[in-house]
Amino acid sequence: MATLQREQDEIVRAPSRGALVVQGGPGTGKTVVALHRVAYLLFAYPELARAGVLVLGPSQRFLDYIGSVLPALGETAVVSATCETLLPEVRPGRTESRRVAEVKGRALWQRVLTDLVHSLRPTPGDLTIRWEGEEYVVPEATIARLVRSACAGRSHHAARRIVHAQLVDVVTELVAHRSGELLAAAEEGLEDILTAVDANLARNDDRGVTTGASGAAVDGELSEQEVEALRSRIGVDAPFASVVQQWWPDRDPGGELTALLADEERLAALAPELDAADRRLLADEPAGWAPSDIPLLDALTDLLGDEEQPGRQADVTAARARERRDWVYGHVVVDEAQELSPMEWQMVARRSPGYSITAVGDIDQTEAPHAHTTWEDAVGEVLGERWRQSRLTICYRTPREVMALTREVLAAAGSENDPPRAVRSSGMDPWVREVDEGGLPAATATAAEELAARWTGGTVGVVAPAARVSALREALAAEVPVVSPAGAKGLEWDAVLVVDPDGIIAEPRGHNGLYVALTRCTQELGRVVVAESRG
């Protein structure tokens, strides 16, 4: 904690209640702040430790890193995951296009899936139950009342469990009432017979002997004990349970989601905001889960609920929390939070209904396909007004000479933020080398070799457009790592070579990607520019 600067320490020690969004540019120590905040919260708020803290990161590499850091800070009540691994036993098995990911990440899906689950409720109508060879009809009005009451604020399967129990009571009353009617009819017939017998006895016996059975010897009603025994029998009756199951069946979230996305007509009805091209795009997706399906599946699983009664949440262990989709954490920390879609934010909110959340990121480094350019755009649709923002304004990594290049890039990206203030200078101005297209691989290899020679004992990295990464890796023979801007996020080297900046700009979110690429170095920045594409 002694190594933290003042603005970092204020964020670490901020109250745990409510969602805190931390905006920090490159080199401002966002991840360090996030992890120290986890340690501080678990120490300062023991009740959070009992429920555990969920740390959501962008990649397995990040999870491996925090897995080694947090135990060193003395904290073990922590579950680390990515959004893709939050659902137990469900993992994406294929990739998808940016356009598909953007469509599936939109906030509208929460309402669409809610409406889908509502449509799965039983249709209004009488329900016929057979019991011991007799038919009993639960009228439509009663069914509508039971369903309406049970569904208020409950998941689909939880509501079904309640309706099942209430139907046991209703059918018990119907059976008891009919049994009473039969007993009353039998009693009335019996009384007529006994009255005739009494009259006959009176005629033949002057002593006035009678049966003594005239009047209401039988009241035509089951006793309380008999009614309870009947209710118990109906409650465990397999044919009765089968009828309720067929009327209100279990629903599989995966099957329902797959069917919805493949049904363009149903999508048009439930999601009119999607145009025909969007619906066709979804319907044409291959089988298997892609990353953007996981938040949809999580939402639908939550709306449907568990088929069996869920167990009580006990004190946290990491293993127990990972196995429970519905675990509610004491606090959730999100790193690289700018990359989350609205539906991924819904995943976060479900795991912290009280919005005890710390989200750190840089909106200007957003690489995801979603359209947000401000934190209001990113979190507003899910968190509403229940969030506040803090800023990390000091860059400890990238030297002043390089940060001077970023203001123009941020403006081109549509950013409303100023770049962070660099606190150190390397004394080395960024340099540019211009080459033609054909000479790009060789020129990159040469420049990388020169940097490696200058930074012996240090580190050198190359950042290039995604389409060039493979060829450049071959040209450099793995002597220096070559990554795309997306792959460079979170990384740093002493010296960085940015190849074909204009090619990076041409990619989706290109200026944001160039901002990432330019800010990876701690000392020296070089750029290799293709002459034909230079503006």
Side-chain angles (χ1 to χ4, degrees), residues 213-447:
S214 60
V218 181
D219 61 10
E221 294 183 1
L222 299 180
S223 68
E224 290 185 5
Q225 292 82 357
E226 290 171 323
V227 171
E228 286 306 313
L230 175 62
R231 180 178 285 107
S232 297
R233 289 170 56 208
I234 293 174
V236 298
D237 184 64
F240 174 82
S242 178
V243 169
V244 177
Q245 171 69 22
Q246 292 175 18
W247 171 68
W248 192 329
D250 295 335
R251 301 287 183 171
D252 172 60
E256 296 297 335
L257 180 59
T258 298
L260 173 65
L261 296 178
D263 190 337
E264 294 182 64
E265 184 175 344
R266 198 173 191 192
L267 277 176
L270 289 173
E273 303 93 330
L274 299 178
D275 59 29
D278 290 336
R279 297 193 297 271
R280 168 52 53 186
L281 191 69
L282 297 179
D284 288 343
E285 281 285 278
W289 300 125
S292 66
D293 290 314
I294 303 302
L296 302 184
L297 191 58
D298 185 64
L300 190 51
T301 302
D302 184 70
L303 290 165
L304 288 173
D306 298 316
E307 295 174 9
E308 301 298 330
Q309 185 73 34
R312 185 180 67 86
Q313 181 165 322
D315 286 347
V316 70
T317 68
R320 184 184 297 124
R322 285 192 186 96
E323 293 171 357
R324 287 277 299 273
R325 173 201 58 80
D326 59 346
W327 192 273
V328 175
Y329 291 89
H331 196 77
V332 179
V333 174
V334 186
D335 192 71
E336 297 287 356
Q338 75 279 357
E339 303 298 340
L340 271 61
S341 70
M343 289 306 296
E344 288 172 325
W345 276 111
Q346 291 284 4
M347 296 181 79
V348 174
R350 274 189 287 277
R351 286 153 178 84
S352 180
Y355 291 1
S356 182
I357 300 167
T358 301
V360 301
D362 182 4
I363 202 70
D364 298 319
Q365 295 186 63
T366 303
E367 191 274 334
H370 322 298
H372 53 255
T373 57
T374 67
W375 283 111
E376 288 79 6
D377 295 337
V379 305
E381 289 184 285
V382 176
L383 302 185
E385 301 296 324
R386 299 176 63 181
W387 66 283
R388 63 194 188 278
Q389 182 173 339
S390 292
R391 291 180 177 271
L392 294 170
T393 62
I394 302 173
C395 174
Y396 303 97
R397 177 179 66 213
T398 311
R400 295 191 188 97
E401 294 84 351
V402 175
M403 291 304 297
L405 301 175
T406 62
R407 186 175 297 275
E408 182 179 342
V409 176
L410 285 182
S415 172
E416 299 177 357
N417 299 313
D418 292 326
R421 177 172 58 87
V423 295
R424 48 179 290 275
S425 173
S426 68
M428 305 181 69
D429 291 329
W431 51 267
V432 178
R433 188 170 298 175
E434 185 175 304
V435 299
D436 58 33
E437 177 67 35
L440 182 66
T444 299
T446 299

Side-chain angles (χ1 to χ4, degrees), residues 192-202 211:
D192 291 342
I193 294 172
L194 294 177
T195 299
V197 171
D198 284 341
N200 185 55
L201 289 172
T211 63

Side-chain angles (χ1 to χ4, degrees), residues 450-506:
E450 293 171 358
L451 287 174
R454 273 200 295 277
W455 294 99
T456 301
T459 58
V460 176
V462 174
V463 185
R468 295 190 184 274
V469 168
S470 179
L472 291 178
R473 284 177 177 168
E474 184 176 345
L476 271 63
E479 294 179 4
V480 173
V482 182
V483 296
S484 67
K489 292 179 68 172
L491 302 180
E492 63 180 46
W493 297 275
D494 292 301
V496 171
L497 187 65
V498 177
V499 178
D500 189 12
D502 289 339
I504 294 175
I505 291 173

